[in-house]
Amino acid sequence: MAVLTNAPKGTQDILPAQSGRWQYMENTLLRTAELFGFREIRTPVFEHTELFQRSVGDATDVVQKEMYTFEDKGKRSITLRPEGTAGVVRAALQNGLLGGALPLRCCYLISAFRYEKPQAGRQRQFHQFGAEVFGPSSPDADAELISLCNEICSALGLEGLRLHLNSIGCKSCRARYYEALRAFLSARADKLCETCRDRLEKNPMRVLDCKSPICQEAIEGAPVMIDYLCEDCSAHFEGLKKRLELLGIAYTVDPGIVRGLDYYTRTVFEFVSESIGAQGTVLGGGRYDGLVEELGGAPTPALGFAIGLERLLMQLEACHADFPEENRCDLYIASSGEEAQQKALQLCTLLRQEGFITECDCMGRSVKAQMKYAGKLGARYSTVLGDNELQGGSCTVKNMEDGTEHTVRLDGFTESIYQLLLEGVYNGIIEADPSKD
Ligand code: HAM
């Protein structure tokens, strides 16, 4: 395959024809999160590898198999971020944000990188919108975060997602669970993949989300964490369910959700679609009460989620959600001759300063070819400038949809176009061309 004209496997171009949908999703996500008090944070695309080893976890698929890690020229081990949470926690610690007013609420739009087997909804470079909250330990915060996910769905007109909810407890209740899970898995060790046999001792819960089909079969009937919750974790989970019911947010308790990253404690959740194929988890998140401390900060409860934008778009298209109409050219000014071309350029500049999308010729094409191009652009209005128009001081502006034409004077052109495009009224400077009645 030609290297120069083919992007690397697992990456995707977002072309001009699609970028409007992406901007719409991104703006809606940021705006909805803003309503809950989130402000955007931007962190580097790459971090020290150790950050992900310590946070996402040494025994996870992400760290063991999927990271884009390289040595830079200074011989540091660097990794392209496989997710956003670790970088946000690092940035919050480095910049003393957790010593300020809590709760701290940050959100982000990022590219992330995982060396996975590409398929529909699974790429090596993908995009996430994420939100993180630092400070609160009460289930009120969990419910509020899930409520943000719900509001995002409403704001985008997203249908067909189901909230799956679980609790994977804390360090103390997990010890007892690990014992039971190890006993169950050890009896089937010969049916596990090699990586999972290693994981048995280190972190048996990672076996539960191994993607290998042989492991998936071997874990059938394994004990589930939710049956081993300590009193506090259990009360937290009950508290969350009660609040979700109060908010009218439907959920399914799904003991199978363990998430693929090590930092989670207590609440974990996913919004899952049935209509976009095998990679149906559009959104995933949960609490990570131990991560700030793990990375060197004071113990700070925290929680968050991330949405995969590629999967979000697939789901929006699958449920035939409405996307706003794309912005298009308001006025195309065709020209014939150098003087007219320069006038067109001048008028375009003035109109752009007023916020109108305007284009004129920069290819030296015939008026006919320019008008063909204006048609392809889907321009709302067009006009042609030539010697006659320059001498007469006015031109004919044509509505490209209904064909109506208006004579518009060149002095005061911007004001006239403003009225024509935004208000559809004329103050005398513009006159409907009587000869066209
Ligand atoms: P995650 O479940 O690994 O969680 O990823 C979140 C979402 O990113 C997934 O539900 C999916 O939509 C999308 N995603 C993940 N991998 C890929 C891929 N290879 N191709 C396309 N989309 C993908 C996290 O990343 C956590 N940081 C979420 C979080 C934030 N938890 C707490 N705070």
Side-chain angles (χ1 to χ4, degrees), residues 62 82-86 108 114 116 121-128 130-132 259-261 263-264 270-271 281-288 303-312:
V62 171
E83 57 101 53
T85 309
Y108 50 86
R114 295 184 193 176
E116 292 193 84
R122 192 202 275 162
Q123 291 176 213
R124 291 183 175 170
Q125 179 180 359
F126 59 98
H127 299 83
Q128 286 186 341
E132 315 289 352
R259 308 283 297 130
L261 314 161
Y263 46 64
Y264 291 109
E270 293 180 349
F271 279 65
T281 307
V282 174
L283 178 161
R287 252 187 194 277
Y288 49 93
L303 60 162
F305 70 85
I307 303 181
L309 298 189
E310 284 80 5
R311 293 186 198 174
L312 176 61

Side-chain angles (χ1 to χ4, degrees), residues 76-89:
R76 301 169 196 91
S77 181
I78 294 293
T79 294
L80 300 185
R81 60 181 167 212
E83 57 101 53
T85 309
V88 172
V89 176

Side-chain angles (χ1 to χ4, degrees), residues 340-361:
Q341 198 277 334
Q342 283 171 15
K343 183 70 183 172
L345 189 58
Q346 245 177 359
L347 292 176
C348 275
T349 306
L350 291 172
L351 286 165
R352 288 170 190 151
Q353 285 164 0
E354 293 302 317
F356 294 112
I357 303 174
T358 42
E359 287 197 37
C360 61
D361 182 54

Side-chain angles (χ1 to χ4, degrees), residues 321-334:
D322 285 334
F323 288 92
E325 210 189 303
E326 301 271 309
N327 283 339
R328 58 194 168 113
C329 181
D330 290 308
L331 177 67
Y332 186 87
I333 307 179

Side-chain angles (χ1 to χ4, degrees), residues 260-314:
L261 314 161
D262 269 356
Y263 46 64
Y264 291 109
T265 52
R266 294 191 166 172
T267 312
V268 284
F269 60 92
E270 293 180 349
F271 279 65
V272 184
S273 155
E274 309 237 296
S275 44
I276 60 168
Q279 303 305 312
T281 307
V282 174
L283 178 161
R287 252 187 194 277
Y288 49 93
D289 290 342
L291 182 57
V292 174
E293 196 178 2
E294 177 70 31
L295 297 181
T300 310
L303 60 162
F305 70 85
I307 303 181
L309 298 189
E310 284 80 5
R311 293 186 198 174
L312 176 61
L313 183 57
M314 283 165 75

